[in-house]
Amino acid sequence: MMKNIYSIILGLILIFNINKINAQEATNDTILPVSLQEVVVSTPFNESIQNNVIKVDKVNLNELGFLKSQSLSKALYNVPGISFITTGPGIQKPNIRGLSGNRVVTVFQNIRFENMQWGDEHGLEIHTSGISSIELIKGPMSVLYGSDAIGGVIYISPEKYLKENGLKVDIESLYNTNYSGITSSLGLNTTINKFSLLARASIIDNGDYENADGIVENTKFDMADLKFGIGFNSKGFESDLRLNFNASTIGIPHEEHGDHDDHDDDDHDDDDHDDDDHDDEHEEEEESYQELENTVISWRNSLKFNKSELQVTLGLSENLRKEFGHHEEEGHDDHDDDHDDDDHDDHEEHEEGEAHIDMQLQTTSLDFKYLFPKSDKFEFILGGSILNQENTNFGEEELIPNAEKQDLGFYGISHVHLNKLDLMVGFRGDQRDITTNSFNKSYSSFTASLGLKKNLGSSSVLRLNYASGYRAPNLSELFADGVHHGTARYEIGNDRLLVEKTNQIDLSLQTYSDMITFGVDVFYNFCNNHIFLNPTGSSMEGMPVYNYSQADSNISGIEVMMSGKTNLDWLTYNTSLEYLSGKLEEGGYLPLISPLTFKLDFDLDFNQAGTYEIGLLSKANQNDVSDFETSTESYSLVDISGSYMLNLANNDLNLFWSVSNLFDKEYVDHLSRLKTLNIHDMGRNISVGLKYSF
């Protein structure tokens, strides 16, 4: 551990010495991932990044290039404080400062995206095509977003309409060698006077990925994504209707994969276990997979008066989940003599039948806010939200019962502009009602926030924010009773769980100059009644049993960021260092805490047509683990990529290429769900792609 820390510190010192730091006021030409003048839409008053009281990280996907915008994890790679819990390449769950699932609110197409309610192993299932930008708020934001926003907010803005009359068409395609993956997208965007229209269709076809041990069976995933938008813009009224349909099929590896490391050559030399038998064995195994469909419809309207504005957004979303195969684990692992033909017939009958898990989550929502007339010194917003959600089962198994959830919340936020200080104060009241055939309970909470921003001279900003947050237990935590194959455990809910309440203090310092942008964030988050899975030591259906329990916890950490120019005109860099600690007050550690992480990217721009990038990712050992985790060894990865712009028929043709895990490193990330199965992460992958716009 100390060796890694020393290496990281040395790297930072060397980077500092490369540059001549000039303490000048930042300009729009400052080397930043996003301009300081970019407007932030995830916070109440739509101010610029530099003027916002709340620290917000923003990423414009159009500026990243096609390769980096293929997934949320790649798009947000350089943002400190966020990592991703993965189950192979097909499932990615955001983890903000050690908190994930529905502790993180995702806003997609102007409404809350609610597919995190079913359990711990589900990804966002959002394709990045047709996305304009992503904003990240780290820490409680329940004042603005209500229940669940205790870890942070991921605000995903859809593709923007053309500002002027015209038509734009683009075609994108990408091939990945590791898993023979193809990603293609076709987009159309047009504006005629006050009306705008856009449409985008994307497909992903990925096979099983390969690591140092070979091909990891049943990690393939496919996806089809369709986005559609109609906009109207006049002097006093704006309207935006959006639709997204996403369908995906995701394979989930069997637990037997964990035995492959111990499956040595001597076993294959046994007379009773020849190659044919080995092949037959794998053919006999049921493949476990999920079929997922997400439909999101949002209608956002803005009515502008003389000095005020009313915004109203209606939302409808439907999330469907079907799970097939491998649902009865007991006795499945042995493949012994008792596993006769009748047993195989039963398996085949099940494979040909309907899904054993078939659930529908339907959500309707109404969000509104009124922006009062503002002065030079004062701004004020009143708003509220109403949400109704129904979970319905259609399959033979029920992980969680049929249930209905209703949310009601109201808030007020003010922004006071003083001479050298900005002050933001917010408050909110919420109530959530959850009802099943045998359960009816209400959860309520009052949350508040206080933020201070002070300009230190002309080139530095100091922010100090306090925020409280609350989260009512979700359906899985309350009522789960069954096997979750994505996490390889039997989970039992607890309908006596109390509301989680968090309090976070966040101190942020940022400095800007013509040469360097530097920032440091220090935070402490205390949670009452933190809900977590507690191993019981027993097993059911061949899986270890975990009960949902509660205890107080705390998470603290530091994030250091730096980007800028070097003395070489063609060389710029971006680097970050992250440390995170998560503990239970009663003793022990929280699960899924990312280890000490160092990132360093060099951008090489020799000419206007071509650019290149060299990236280094280094993660230290993680030995501070929860009761059901194992330690993870340190690792370092090197990636390289490039792009080249050509002119084809007076239009832009952009060629992309990258090599991920250049040296084919054998490693396991601490946040990989496949870690418990002894499955390594992906080996070397070469990507080539193109984008043509006309």
Side-chain angles (χ1 to χ4, degrees):
M1 169 69 79
M2 294 305 299
K3 183 178 180 181
N4 288 298
I5 295 175
Y6 293 147
S7 299
I8 290 169
I9 294 174
L10 179 61
L12 289 172
I13 293 173
L14 291 173
I15 293 171
F16 268 108
N17 290 330
I18 291 176
N19 298 274
K20 298 178 181 178
I21 303 174
N22 300 315
Q24 302 174 2
E25 185 176 359
T27 68
N28 290 335
D29 295 329
T30 301
I31 302 298
L32 290 170
V34 176
S35 169
L36 295 174
Q37 305 309 313
E38 283 271 5
V39 174
V40 173
V41 297
S42 57
T43 54
F45 299 99
N46 294 352
E47 296 178 299
S48 68
I49 292 176
Q50 188 174 22
N51 294 329
N52 210 52
V53 175
I54 301 171
K55 171 75 181 315
V56 180
D57 294 283
K58 184 172 183 177
V59 177
N60 288 326
L61 269 69
N62 291 333
E63 299 177 3
L64 291 178
F66 188 47
L67 287 173
K68 285 189 175 181
S69 63
Q70 287 305 292
S71 66
L72 288 176
S73 61
K74 291 182 179 179
L76 297 173
Y77 174 81
N78 284 325
V79 179
I82 183 170
S83 52
F84 284 84
I85 303 168
T86 62
T87 306
I91 299 177
Q92 297 181 337
K93 180 188 291 293
N95 184 297
I96 300 179
R97 292 176 172 176
L99 298 175
S100 61
N102 74 328
R103 293 185 174 95
V104 174
V105 166
T106 300
V107 179
F108 177 57
Q109 295 192 168
N110 306 313
I111 63 173
R112 288 177 55 141
F113 193 60
E114 288 288 293
N115 73 331
M116 289 290 161
Q117 306 296 327
W118 281 330
D120 204 30
E121 77 271 25
H122 305 286
L124 275 181
E125 300 142 25
I126 294 176
H127 191 246
T128 52
S129 67
I131 291 176
S132 171
S133 63
I134 304 174
E135 296 177 12
L136 186 67
I137 303 174
K138 293 173 284 189
M141 202 60 185
S142 291
V143 164
L144 190 59
Y145 293 96
S147 178
D148 306 344
I150 63 175
V153 176
I154 299 175
Y155 196 102
I156 302 174
S157 296
E159 183 176 359
K160 297 180 179 179
Y161 300 111
L162 292 181
K163 294 182 179 181
E164 300 178 351
N165 289 350
L167 172 65
K168 179 183 178 181
V169 179
D170 63 82
I171 302 173
E172 302 171 333
S173 188
L174 176 71
Y175 177 74
N176 293 283
T177 61
N178 185 286
Y179 42 88
S180 301
I182 298 176
T183 300
S184 299
S185 177
L186 172 64
L188 179 149
N189 196 340
T190 184
T191 293
I192 303 175
N193 298 325
K194 296 180 180 180
F195 292 91
S196 298
L197 173 70
L198 61 83
R200 182 170 296 276
S202 306
I203 59 171
I204 296 177
D205 185 5
N206 291 339
D208 296 331
Y209 82 84
E210 186 174 357
N211 60 19
D213 302 317
I215 295 176
V216 183
E217 299 175 4
N218 202 32
T219 55
K220 55 183 176 293
F221 68 99
D222 304 318
M223 178 181 290
D225 186 86
L226 176 65
K227 292 183 174 69
F228 183 80
I230 300 177
F232 176 82
N233 190 350
S234 67
K235 184 177 181 180
F237 179 70
E238 295 181 6
S239 183
D240 186 11
L241 177 66
R242 301 275 182 163
L243 180 144
N244 178 218
F245 174 77
N246 183 289
S248 57
T249 302
I250 303 174
I252 300 190
H254 290 182
E255 288 72 19
E256 287 81 9
H257 281 287
D259 298 331
H260 285 187
D261 289 342
D262 302 325
H263 201 58
D264 56 27
D265 293 337
D266 292 339
D267 295 331
H268 285 279
D269 292 337
D270 194 302
D271 293 337
D272 297 329
H273 189 80
D274 58 22
D275 292 337
D276 294 336
D277 293 336
H278 188 74
D279 294 337
D280 292 342
E281 180 181 314
H282 284 283
E283 291 176 0
E284 292 169 0
E285 295 179 356
E286 283 187 286
E287 285 194 345
S288 182
Y289 65 96
Q290 297 176 352
E291 290 184 354
L292 307 163
E293 291 184 6
N294 300 300
T295 303
V296 180
I297 303 173
S298 64
W299 186 26
R300 184 173 187 175
N301 300 276
S302 176
L303 184 62
K304 299 179 180 179
F305 306 102
N306 187 23
K307 294 183 178 180
S308 62
E309 183 178 352
L310 175 64
Q311 298 178 3
V312 179
T313 303
L314 299 172
L316 171 65
S317 63
E318 183 180 72
N319 310 101
L320 304 177
R321 175 194 172 193
K322 295 182 179 181
E323 189 166 312
F324 299 83
H326 211 75
H327 71 295
E328 293 183 357
E329 301 295 328
E330 190 170 6
H332 184 72
D333 297 338
D334 296 331
H335 292 280
D336 55 17
D337 295 338
D338 296 331
H339 198 65
D340 56 21
D341 293 337
D342 292 336
D343 295 328
H344 286 290
D345 292 339
D346 292 339
H347 281 291
E348 292 173 0
E349 182 180 347
H350 176 71
E351 286 183 354
E352 297 172 357
E354 297 182 355
H356 62 89
I357 294 177
D358 187 352
M359 297 191 295
Q360 177 191 65
L361 190 71
Q362 194 170 64
T363 307
T364 56
S365 62
L366 169 66
D367 298 280
F368 57 91
K369 65 178 180 181
Y370 182 72
L371 290 74
F372 286 80
K374 65 179 181 179
S375 65
D376 294 336
K377 299 293 185 180
F378 185 75
E379 298 176 82
F380 187 68
I381 291 176
L382 279 179
S385 59
I386 302 172
L387 182 144
N388 183 83
Q389 188 174 92
E390 295 182 2
N391 180 77
T392 308
N393 290 277
F394 301 98
E396 63 187 69
E397 295 183 20
E398 292 186 8
L399 292 181
I400 55 177
N402 297 339
E404 183 177 6
K405 180 176 74 178
Q406 294 180 329
D407 284 0
L408 179 65
F410 296 95
Y411 65 88
I413 301 176
S414 63
H415 189 179
V416 182
H417 303 270
L418 304 177
N419 291 333
K420 296 183 179 181
L421 188 71
D422 281 75
L423 173 68
M424 184 179 291
V425 180
F427 59 87
R428 181 182 178 112
D430 283 282
Q431 179 168 309
R432 170 170 290 182
D433 298 320
I434 297 178
T435 304
T436 71
N437 290 334
S438 58
F439 181 91
N440 190 342
K441 191 170 182 178
S442 296
Y443 305 88
S444 59
S445 184
F446 177 84
T447 53
S449 64
L450 173 63
L452 301 171
K453 182 184 77 71
K454 182 176 177 59
N455 294 325
L456 304 178
S458 60
S459 59
S460 299
V461 177
L462 179 67
R463 294 179 174 91
L464 178 63
N465 280 277
Y466 160 81
S468 62
Y470 109 101
R471 185 181 77 95
N474 64 27
L475 298 180
S476 180
E477 293 163 341
L478 290 169
F479 310 117
D481 187 10
V483 174
H484 279 212
H485 296 287
T487 58
R489 55 187 181 230
Y490 193 106
E491 298 179 5
I492 300 177
N494 181 358
D495 61 9
R496 296 182 299 275
L497 294 173
L498 304 176
V499 167
E500 287 184 341
K501 294 184 178 181
T502 63
N503 293 274
Q504 176 171 297
I505 296 179
D506 192 302
L507 178 66
S508 174
L509 174 66
Q510 289 180 292
T511 63
Y512 315 101
S513 75
D514 288 340
M515 293 294 291
I516 283 183
T517 299
F518 175 82
V520 58
D521 291 349
V522 181
F523 66 92
Y524 179 84
N525 189 332
F526 180 81
C527 179
N528 291 110
N529 304 320
H530 184 98
I531 301 172
F532 63 98
L533 281 165
N534 191 32
T536 65
S538 60
S539 63
M540 295 182 66
E541 299 186 19
M543 295 285 185
V545 177
Y546 290 78
N547 290 333
Y548 281 100
S549 305
Q550 287 188 297
D552 295 343
S553 67
N554 66 82
I555 299 176
S556 58
I558 182 171
E559 300 156 4
V560 182
M561 308 133 288
M562 187 166 63
S563 62
K565 304 175 182 179
T566 70
N567 292 329
L568 303 173
D569 294 338
W570 47 267
L571 180 63
T572 59
Y573 67 88
N574 184 79
T575 185
S576 65
L577 176 66
E578 311 166 38
Y579 173 76
L580 189 66
S581 174
K583 298 179 179 180
L584 294 170
E585 291 292 312
E586 62 184 22
Y589 296 96
L590 291 173
L592 300 172
I593 300 295
S594 186
L596 180 71
T597 301
F598 174 66
K599 298 175 185 176
L600 175 61
D601 291 327
F602 288 107
D603 292 316
L604 292 76
D605 189 1
F606 298 111
N607 54 64
Q608 295 183 348
T611 60
Y612 306 91
E613 182 177 329
I614 302 172
L616 169 66
L617 169 66
S618 184
K619 292 194 176 185
N621 299 329
Q622 180 57 285
N623 297 316
D624 299 337
V625 296
S626 71
D627 290 341
F628 61 88
E629 290 184 308
T630 56
S631 299
T632 308
E633 295 181 356
S634 63
Y635 69 88
S636 296
L637 303 177
V638 176
D639 301 335
I640 58 174
S641 62
S643 66
Y644 196 81
M645 185 73 71
L646 298 174
N647 184 280
L648 181 63
N650 294 322
N651 296 302
D652 292 332
L653 175 63
N654 201 347
L655 305 178
F656 306 90
W657 64 270
S658 73
V659 183
S660 302
N661 192 1
L662 176 65
F663 299 107
D664 204 21
K665 176 73 174 180
E666 180 180 295
Y667 75 100
V668 176
D669 190 84
H670 187 68
L671 270 62
S672 171
R673 293 291 191 193
L674 303 184
K675 173 174 172 280
T676 59
L677 309 182
N678 296 322
I679 298 177
H680 293 100
D681 284 66
M682 189 182 300
R684 182 188 299 112
N685 178 53
I686 301 174
S687 303
V688 293
L690 58 86
K691 178 179 180 180
Y692 184 58
S693 303
F694 57 92

